[in-house]
Amino acid sequence: MRYPSLKAPSHLLFLVFCIGLIADVLVPEIWGHGKTKDYPLWFWAGQQVLHGQSLYPVDPSGYFEFIYPPLPAVLLAPLAFFGKVPLYLFLCLLNAAAAWLVAQFSHAMAGSGRQPGLWLEALPGCIMITFVVDIFDLGQPNLLLLVMMLGGFWLLRGGRPWLAVGMFALATAIKVFPIAVLPYLVWRRRWGAVAGMTAFLVFFLLILPAPFRGFQHNVAELKTWYQGMIGTSSAEGFGQRAEQNWSSVNQSIIAVSHRLLRPLNYNQDDPHKPPRYMNLVDLDFATANWIVVAVCALIGLGYIRLIPPAWLRTEKSDAEEIGILFCLMTVASPLAREYYFVWLFFPITVLVHRAAYDPRPKVRTGTWIVLAAVCVLLGFSLPMYPIALQAYGNNLAATFVLIAGLAWHLRSPLKQGGEALPPAPGALQPGVTSKQ
């Protein structure tokens, strides 16, 4: 891993980039009418904890200002005590550090055994730049969650499973969708990691908030949050913010599938826009759900069939396997807004390493073509393109192109002489270092 250096032009550009994004958050708050998006919500949640007020309405069917579990509000409270500007500045610095660490972890875990040059190192970040800007502007924690997950897999590979699953559990307790790593650990028979993650989840969700909220109060709020967010689903939507669930802003497998299978207005998040529909058929809610379940089951079975058995794993195959896992975790979340796809940073980095360092010329060329296709598809989210491209799932399509590229590399490893064959027995396994 590299440390930042002002002598490196790409590192200097990253610093200038972060300063600009931090200014975009702080200038409106200090000299303007106040920063909007999610920043005021984080301050409100922290203040609710400081003053012993409820985070959720008594009725789980009511409107939730705060749609996250109680733990993030508890973590925000100490910073909210000092006011909005210190809180916003800390969150920006946290995102800047997370962006740097995501890049460093991604390159270190790409499995090529090569240290990229400075500009090649910057390439995945350039591809992901719009998502990073979105995260800074909104104040969302998805970059932080990504660095937790990457750090967890780094620790797991280094033989420190308890620290690793602590990172997984913390990410899940902040924003639920990283829970998808748990079935992966079950399939890989990492039973200690499964037990550890479960124990840490209990700690983060039930025990850690208790001294600040009271045990009974915290349990009651957790129950209300679960009923309002996880336990509700209907043809109109799921959880909170029903107007966003089926609209073009959501590019999850669930949302895109329902828009294709049912007559759903993909402009419903904006009442000023005329209704638009993209459904190919007109199915009822239950039938559409069963089709989504079947599609997800086929994808899951395909992933299980694709990944190598434990005794054939290498650092290279692990990078491709985990890259596909991150892709699936992103699109399997019921709500996958634009900034969720910053999680493609790691899989894109893996393919950049394959495109740069694979000794097979045709493979390098093909991998660059895959990356170019991913960039084109991701680019359709820019405002200059019709919103229909997002409704049809341009980011979802880019994710599946990434999965296809990673899957090909996973099934076509290199042997000496340039031909492909399965990895050799005795290859490095996660949690076991090369010296063991």
Side-chain angles (χ1 to χ4, degrees), residues 21-344:
L21 292 177
I22 294 171
D24 179 64
V25 174
L26 296 184
V27 168
E29 183 59 39
I30 299 172
W31 291 288
H33 298 290
K35 178 59 181 173
T36 58
K37 310 297 174 63
D38 289 325
Y39 286 96
L41 175 63
W42 307 144
F43 179 74
W44 175 86
Q47 288 291 317
Q48 292 295 102
V49 173
L50 289 173
H51 294 93
Q53 301 297 314
S54 295
L55 293 167
Y56 316 103
V58 176
D59 184 0
S61 62
Y63 182 82
F64 284 26
E65 293 287 348
F66 189 72
I67 62 175
Y68 304 91
L71 177 66
V74 173
L75 298 178
L76 289 165
L79 297 166
F81 174 82
F82 295 99
K84 288 185 177 181
V85 172
L87 172 64
Y88 297 178
L89 176 60
F90 180 84
L91 294 178
C92 288
L93 293 175
L94 202 59
N95 269 331
W100 178 265
L101 289 173
V102 162
Q104 297 306 305
F105 273 126
S106 296
H107 286 291
M109 296 170 62
S112 68
R114 303 284 293 273
Q115 177 73 46
L118 291 174
W119 293 110
L120 187 66
E121 178 187 44
L123 180 58
C126 293
I127 296 173
M128 293 280 98
I129 191 168
T130 58
F131 302 98
V132 175
V133 169
D134 206 21
I135 283 173
F136 270 86
D137 183 46
L138 293 170
Q140 277 290 324
N142 289 57
L143 259 177
L144 182 61
L145 302 183
L146 176 55
V147 82
M148 289 179 184
M149 299 302 291
L150 286 169
F153 277 107
W154 178 266
L155 292 166
L156 198 63
R157 186 175 73 174
R160 289 173 282 181
W162 281 92
L163 287 174
V165 297
M167 301 287 278
F168 296 157
L170 181 57
T172 302
I174 293 173
K175 207 167 186 178
V176 180
F177 75 96
I179 191 68
V181 75
L182 194 57
Y184 170 80
L185 296 173
V186 170
W187 179 256
R188 279 304 187 189
R189 300 181 181 180
R190 301 300 297 261
W191 305 119
V194 171
M197 183 173 175
T198 304
F200 272 112
L201 274 174
V202 171
F203 173 76
F204 287 132
L205 293 174
L206 292 176
I207 299 175
L208 182 58
F212 309 97
R213 304 291 283 163
F215 184 78
Q216 294 297 331
H217 187 191
N218 180 63
V219 170
E221 286 200 321
L222 197 59
K223 181 180 178 181
T224 301
W225 169 81
Y226 179 85
Q227 292 174 337
M229 287 299 301
I230 308 296
T232 59
S233 179
S234 68
E236 286 71 38
F238 47 87
Q240 297 282 318
R241 316 297 190 263
E243 72 280 359
Q244 297 179 8
N245 293 338
W246 306 129
S247 74
S248 60
V249 302
N250 187 2
Q251 293 200 41
S252 68
I253 293 175
I254 294 173
V256 174
S257 298
H258 273 270
R259 289 199 294 267
L260 291 170
L261 298 172
R262 297 197 292 138
L264 295 167
N265 172 22
Y266 61 76
N267 278 339
Q268 62 179 291
D269 62 310
D270 189 343
H272 299 100
K273 293 181 180 178
R276 291 287 185 270
Y277 303 89
M278 52 178 274
N279 56 301
L280 304 177
V281 293
D282 187 355
L283 302 179
D284 60 80
F285 177 66
T287 304
N289 269 345
W290 280 113
I291 292 175
V292 172
V293 169
V295 168
C296 291
L298 287 174
I299 292 173
L301 291 172
Y303 180 60
I304 289 172
R305 178 68 181 85
L306 176 68
I307 60 179
W311 60 88
L312 295 180
R313 291 168 70 178
T314 65
E315 289 189 8
K316 177 179 176 296
S317 72
D318 268 2
E320 293 147 1
E321 177 179 317
I322 296 169
I324 295 173
L325 177 65
F326 278 26
C327 289
L328 295 178
M329 290 171 70
T330 302
V331 298
S333 171
L335 182 62
R337 295 179 61 114
E338 178 79 6
Y339 56 84
Y340 275 63
F341 290 88
V342 77
W343 274 43
L344 301 186

